[in-house]
């Protein structure tokens, strides 16, 4: 089992980032959920989950991200994923959730005003 390391940072006055390094699966998804819920409960920031350094993600991780998107939408805030080409990007593409979730390839893309809640 590989671990999961999550680092939180403010990337602008409107966006908080959670950089996820490691593997998101049934054994680690609770760590991801706790980090997302902490941001949701803490302030009025939008959230981007940066998966560019994530080595692996299964369907439990994908479900957690879809549920997070729903929670942020319900709170009137924006939620996005930063994903690079590769296995994680392919999982998101094949699942069809890319049609619902905001996907960026770099955090700098979040400076686009149309992506801020």
């Amino acid at each position: 089992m590989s671990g999961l390391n999550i680092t939180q940072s403010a990337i602008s006055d409107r966006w908080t980032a959670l950089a996820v390094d490691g593997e998101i699966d049934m054994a680690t998804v609770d760590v991801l959920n706790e980090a997302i819920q902490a941001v949701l409960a803490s302030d009025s920031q939008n959230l981007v989950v940066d998966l560019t350094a994530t080595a692996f993600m299964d369907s439990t991780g994908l479900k957690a991200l879809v549920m997070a998107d729903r929670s942020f939408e319900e709170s009137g805030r924006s939620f996005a994923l930063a994903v690079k080409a590769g296995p994680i990007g392919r999982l998101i593409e094949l699942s069809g959730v890319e049609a619902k979730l905001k996907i960026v390839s770099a955090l700098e893309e979040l400076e686009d005003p149309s992506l801020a809640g």
Side-chain angles (χ1 to χ4, degrees):
M1 175 179 78
S2 182
L4 189 66
N5 184 33
I6 300 176
T7 306
Q8 181 175 328
S9 62
I11 59 169
S12 74
D13 61 342
R14 300 172 80 162
W15 287 92
T16 295
L18 293 177
V20 181
D21 185 14
E23 298 183 359
I24 305 170
D25 57 23
M26 195 178 333
T28 62
V29 73
D30 288 341
V31 175
L32 176 62
N33 280 326
E34 289 171 14
I36 291 169
Q37 290 305 313
V39 174
L40 186 61
S42 68
D43 57 30
S44 62
Q45 291 285 317
N46 299 311
L47 177 62
V48 57
V49 177
D50 183 355
L51 300 173
T52 58
T54 305
F56 173 81
M57 181 171 69
D58 69 7
S59 62
T60 59
L62 191 61
K63 179 181 177 186
L65 296 171
V66 170
M67 298 304 291
D69 177 68
R70 182 178 298 161
S71 295
F72 273 80
E73 184 177 332
E74 288 172 357
S75 72
R77 294 151 65 185
S78 292
F79 180 85
L81 299 177
V83 180
K84 64 181 181 180
I88 307 292
R90 186 79 173 133
L91 172 66
I92 290 168
E93 179 185 337
L94 289 174
S95 70
V97 300
E98 70 178 0
K100 167 72 175 114
L101 300 176
K102 289 181 176 84
I103 309 288
V104 297
S105 57
L107 297 180
E108 294 78 21
E109 293 177 45
L110 295 172
E111 295 174 8
D112 180 348
S114 69
L115 290 177

